[in-house]
Amino acid sequence: MATLLHLDSSLFPESASASRAVTSTFRSAWEAQHPEGTVLYRDLSADPVPHLDGLAASAGFADPTTHSPEQAAAFAQRVALIEELERADALLIGAPMYNFSIPSTLKAWLDQVILVGRTAGPTSSTKGKPVTVVASRGGSYAPGTPREPFEYVQNYLRDLLGEMLGLDVDFIVPELTLARTAPAMAELIPLADASREKALEDAATKAKSLAARLTSAA
């Protein structure tokens, strides 16, 4: 049975969040395709993980037998998150764009699970795992658009997830999500609606395909 690790980081509930609506569709399709599977869920907005501090960071570079009690406690939190990631056969991450970047809660999770010599590096324990990132954004940062130079979400996550963690990264990008609430974007509503529908369709299709592939390989 395959295990999906599902992370949401939007500040808003599903009714007001493009990324949550798409990850919910993905998860529902996954569960329908693979009802015997397991979903590990973390809402990083409602229940954020601690930001990486000096104790947890330094513990990652030291022999565990030399850890102080404070280092051991901080490192145990990292290990628990890492083991959860390692148990997963696939990842689903909701990563809305806030101020040109990802939510700080998602960054905190990433900082905790990236551990050189274990999850990060050429012998990464997560190498090859598929990850689907729902990278929603209020405008458009696609190639050829005026705001293309400000696209820091996909570029950052592609390098970090793909290069550091060795994951097989795929993106679903619902864009122009502010069109229905920002008067200046009213003329873009048809494009926004089309982007949303495509994202929802892609989520269902990708989830079913991925679940089928992983269960057949088991």
Side-chain angles (χ1 to χ4, degrees):
M1 297 183 291
T3 296
L4 175 70
L5 176 58
H6 173 188
L7 308 174
D8 276 324
S9 60
S10 172
L11 297 173
F12 305 104
E14 184 178 331
S15 60
S17 168
S19 66
R20 286 184 187 270
V22 176
T23 60
S24 177
T25 296
F26 186 105
R27 176 173 170 173
S28 295
W30 169 282
E31 291 175 325
Q33 179 72 31
H34 187 36
E36 301 85 8
T38 300
V39 177
L40 305 173
Y41 180 63
R42 282 191 175 273
D43 187 331
L44 297 174
S45 177
D47 187 19
V49 303
H51 283 278
L52 189 67
D53 61 16
L55 287 170
S58 61
F61 296 99
D63 184 330
T65 62
T66 68
H67 288 176
S68 68
E70 294 79 13
Q71 279 182 311
F75 192 61
Q77 291 183 313
R78 293 189 73 184
V79 170
L81 293 170
I82 288 169
E83 289 178 343
E84 187 175 72
L85 169 60
E86 291 173 335
R87 288 199 303 273
D89 298 290
L91 283 76
L92 171 64
I93 301 176
M97 178 185 281
Y98 294 156
N99 299 320
F100 304 133
S101 187
I102 61 174
S104 63
T105 51
L106 178 54
K107 179 64 163 58
W109 180 85
L110 289 165
D111 287 342
Q112 292 282 6
V113 301
I114 294 171
L115 182 59
V116 175
R118 181 163 178 174
T119 59
T123 59
S124 170
S125 59
T126 62
K127 188 172 184 177
K129 292 181 187 286
V131 54
T132 303
V133 180
V134 179
S136 59
R137 60 276 315 277
S140 178
Y141 299 78
T145 63
R147 293 223 160 178
E148 179 185 359
F150 297 92
E151 207 307 294
Y152 301 117
V153 172
Q154 283 180 270
N155 292 335
Y156 169 68
L157 290 178
R158 182 181 292 109
D159 289 343
L160 186 142
L161 297 173
E163 295 299 322
M164 291 194 71
L165 295 177
L167 299 173
D168 181 8
V169 188
D170 188 27
F171 287 96
I172 299 174
V173 186
E175 61 179 13
L176 304 170
T177 62
L178 291 177
R180 288 193 170 274
T181 57
M185 297 177 65
E187 65 180 19
L188 299 175
I189 288 176
L191 291 176
D193 289 348
S195 178
R196 175 184 172 85
E197 288 306 310
K198 184 178 187 303
L200 294 171
E201 291 173 6
D202 285 350
T205 300
K206 290 174 185 288
K208 292 177 182 176
S209 175
L210 183 58
R213 174 162 63 88
L214 290 176
T215 53
S216 66

